[in-house]
Amino acid sequence: MRLATFRGRDDESHVRRVGLVLGQGDHVRVHPFDAGFDLVELLAESAEWRDSQADVAAAGDGLALDEILLLPPVYPVAMRDFLTFEAHVDGMERGHGSPGVPDAWYDAPVFLFMAPHAVTGPYDDVAMPPDTERLDFELEVAAIVVRDVSDVTPQEARSAIGGYCVMNDWSARDVQGKEMSLKLGPSKGKDFATTIGPWVVTPDELEDCRDADGFLDLKMSVKVNGVEVGTDRSGNMGWSFEQLVSHASRASWVKAGEVLASGTCSTGSLAESWGRNGSLTPPPLQVGDVVEMTIERLGTIRNTVGPREESVAPVAPARRRSRLEASA
Amino acid sequence: MRLATFRGRDDESHVRRVGLVLGQGDHVRVHPFDAGFDLVELLAESAEWRDSQADVAAAGDGLALDEILLLPPVYPVAMRDFLTFEAHVDGMERGHGSPGVPDAWYDAPVFLFMAPHAVTGPYDDVAMPPDTERLDFELEVAAIVVRDVSDVTPQEARSAIGGYCVMNDWSARDVQGKEMSLKLGPSKGKDFATTIGPWVVTPDELEDCRDADGFLDLKMSVKVNGVEVGTDRSGNMGWSFEQLVSHASRASWVKAGEVLASGTCSTGSLAESWGRNGSLTPPPLQVGDVVEMTIERLGTIRNTVGPREESVAPVAPARRRSRLEASA
């Protein structure tokens, strides 16, 4: 089952609706569920109950994509980004002058908590953020968590994953690089936009895409202005999503409404190429560029880089402690 | 005004209540507001309205601290930890063999998003997390955000801060150190517990504690087993909380229910001493150790390190891509 979150294109009330997605390509239609349905709650219900509700939705008229505005499928209670693609780590490390993948990478899947308030819809424009000359994208698979879990095994984690979608973790590389020199990871370099969508596909639709170890193995690709610049397979993740949930839940919590992302696949960002090439080739994104990401079975998200918007001034530099000590 | 979140010590319903804190030391009493009040909403209201509700609460019977269980004042929609104390950065950098504070630190206040689901109450035991032999604490001031803001100046940010409390950002240094070698910051090294409390103090109570630049200047100290091991002043932050909110909101959002923390003050963690001393002196926390943090005007949180609890097994090491390439 494919489930989208949307509102009417001319709906001034901005009420969010959930819809069943039927058809392919130009024939996609979104069939609204009754108002009041929440996507995460719907995914947490039994397949039988969800099917019965979907039958009702399917019997009604469907809406064409040009009649509606697709929204982010979920507004996450938290988002985590993992680092699961070995070849991406290798490329990024070489860009930093390191010999390749650090030994620690193999031991356990590290993650960071992302800015949770910056999700954007699958076809929304993304404004050029302030302070950057090196805007980049990151092609990732994302899983939607629909149950609260703590200390679960990978087997137990399976029922906590309600579905999957495509994710673009937009990144201002120059801002991020400077921030990461302080060792806490990126902050403003990644907090302006994260695109998820176009809708959520439930795991039962993807059972035939699992490999012998149970890893989802889906073709992933990204185009800039219609030209393919990266491609990989989700089967190249070092850990399965069930393992990621288990790890995150160890002596802690993973909660319903969280989004857990794979991290960037190999060649799924410009920065990895910059690292390998030793130059800004292909060039950083510019206003007007169109970034299109497709994952087999999950669909396509497509976003245009919009003009820079007006922002408040940057904060002043740090007040120095030496000033205080000198006056003491 | 001081506002606490609590439940009755023997209340099986686990209903959260908000209470007005009156009195000092052994004479503290918590006067419940009517059921249904939410602490963040209460802090977002006008001072006049809040005062009128507090008058009603104060007229009722107060509860002694041994009759109730103080809970985390808020269950945050997101938590950010900044890095604002220059001398702490200096100590930590020296521990990593660096010459001192990197130039980039002075330019803008970096932050990370913390695990939002692991907040614990001000007097709760904190279980020794798995996989660590180097448990540590971090003494910080935290601000509670009570309005959604985007692109606000420091002046505009002022009304978005509803109050302040003490925070202990518990840290497993060995786990964290290994994770941080992957450059994304800590993940499992800090996701097991963050203590906030004992209550929230509104900004109007602290106006006389602002210095000439408007920075809150409060004495901070931490004891382990009754012995003071660290002390600093919040006036040594490189940026004010209003500046932190402004920076975080630039081309993004800071939302009601977020907690923004100062980062560790100087000598507010064992790791900084380990860096300066070149040895594990003072020693890492052990089961049974009591960590007590006090910030002038904000109060004291006190937590005992509890025994390690049973956890699921760690996930398997990464599946290697070379395996796939060899078989291709």
Side-chain angles (χ1 to χ4, degrees), chain A residues 86 106-107 117 131 151 178 183 188 191 211 213 235-236 238-239 248 250 252 258 312 316 318-319 321 324, chain B residues 86 106-107 117 131 178 180 188 191 211 213 235-236 238-239 248 250 252 258 312 316 318-319 321 324:
Chain A
E86 185 179 4
Y106 295 95
D107 292 342
H117 310 314
D131 312 316
D151 268 316
K178 192 166 171 181
K183 302 188 175 63
K188 297 302 290 178
D191 75 344
D211 69 17
D213 291 334
N236 287 327
W239 294 268
R250 185 166 144 85
S252 192
E258 277 201 46
V312 289
R319 191 167 80 155
R321 189 177 163 90
L324 300 172
Chain B
E86 186 180 2
Y106 296 94
D107 292 343
H117 309 313
D131 312 318
K178 193 166 170 182
M180 286 172 71
K188 297 303 290 179
D191 76 344
D211 68 17
D213 291 332
N236 287 326
W239 294 268
R250 184 166 145 86
S252 193
E258 280 200 44
V312 289
R319 188 167 85 155
R321 189 177 162 88
L324 300 171

Side-chain angles (χ1 to χ4, degrees), chain B residues 171-296:
Chain B
S171 302
R173 297 297 182 191
D174 36 8
V175 176
Q176 177 190 351
K178 193 166 170 182
E179 290 170 339
M180 286 172 71
S181 71
L182 278 313
K183 304 187 173 64
L184 296 186
S187 46
K188 297 303 290 179
K190 282 173 177 277
D191 76 344
F192 52 93
T194 307
T195 304
I196 52 176
W199 36 67
V200 176
V201 179
T202 54
D204 57 292
E205 298 259 345
L206 306 168
E207 280 309 304
D208 61 316
C209 303
R210 289 187 187 260
D211 68 17
D213 291 332
F215 285 46
L216 274 185
D217 189 26
L218 305 171
K219 187 184 176 200
M220 309 168 68
S221 65
V222 52
K223 293 179 183 175
V224 176
N225 301 327
V227 178
E228 185 170 280
V229 292
T231 180
D232 197 358
R233 299 191 67 87
S234 62
N236 287 326
M237 289 169 65
W239 294 268
S240 69
F241 277 101
E242 290 81 2
Q243 288 179 310
L244 300 183
V245 171
S246 172
H247 177 69
S249 81
R250 184 166 145 86
S252 193
W253 283 94
V254 179
K255 297 216 166 181
E258 280 200 44
V259 171
L260 270 61
S262 63
T264 313
C265 66
S266 185
T267 69
S269 66
L270 299 174
E272 189 187 318
S273 300
W274 300 341
R276 288 224 174 78
N277 295 335
S279 69
L280 293 180
T281 314
L285 296 173
Q286 302 298 327
V287 173
D289 282 348
V290 179
V291 180
E292 181 179 303
M293 296 181 168
T294 300
I295 300 181
E296 185 186 359

Side-chain angles (χ1 to χ4, degrees), chain A residues 138-248:
Chain A
E138 295 194 335
L139 169 58
E140 313 196 11
V141 192
I144 317 298
V145 174
V146 296
R147 280 181 228 295
D148 294 356
V149 291
S150 180
D151 268 316
V152 285
T153 64
Q155 290 70 29
E156 292 164 343
R158 196 146 175 171
S159 68
I161 299 174
Y164 299 91
C165 68
V166 185
M167 182 167 120
N168 184 350
D169 180 20
W170 300 88
S171 302
R173 297 299 181 190
D174 36 9
V175 178
Q176 177 190 351
K178 192 166 171 181
E179 290 170 340
M180 287 171 69
S181 70
L182 279 313
K183 302 188 175 63
L184 296 186
S187 48
K188 297 302 290 178
K190 281 174 178 278
D191 75 344
F192 52 93
T194 308
T195 305
I196 52 176
W199 35 68
V200 175
V201 179
T202 54
D204 58 293
E205 297 259 346
L206 305 168
E207 279 309 304
D208 61 315
C209 304
R210 288 184 188 262
D211 69 17
D213 291 334
F215 284 47
L216 275 185
D217 189 26
L218 306 171
K219 187 184 175 199
M220 308 167 70
S221 65
V222 52
K223 293 180 184 175
V224 176
N225 302 328
V227 178
E228 185 170 280
V229 292
T231 181
D232 197 357
R233 298 191 67 86
S234 63
N236 287 327
M237 289 169 66
W239 294 268
S240 69
F241 277 101
E242 290 81 4
Q243 288 179 310
L244 300 183
V245 171
S246 172
H247 177 69

Side-chain angles (χ1 to χ4, degrees), chain B residues 87-104:
Chain B
H88 172 71
V89 178
D90 183 70
M92 295 296 277
E93 287 287 334
R94 289 177 196 280
H96 296 131
S98 309
V101 182
D103 288 343

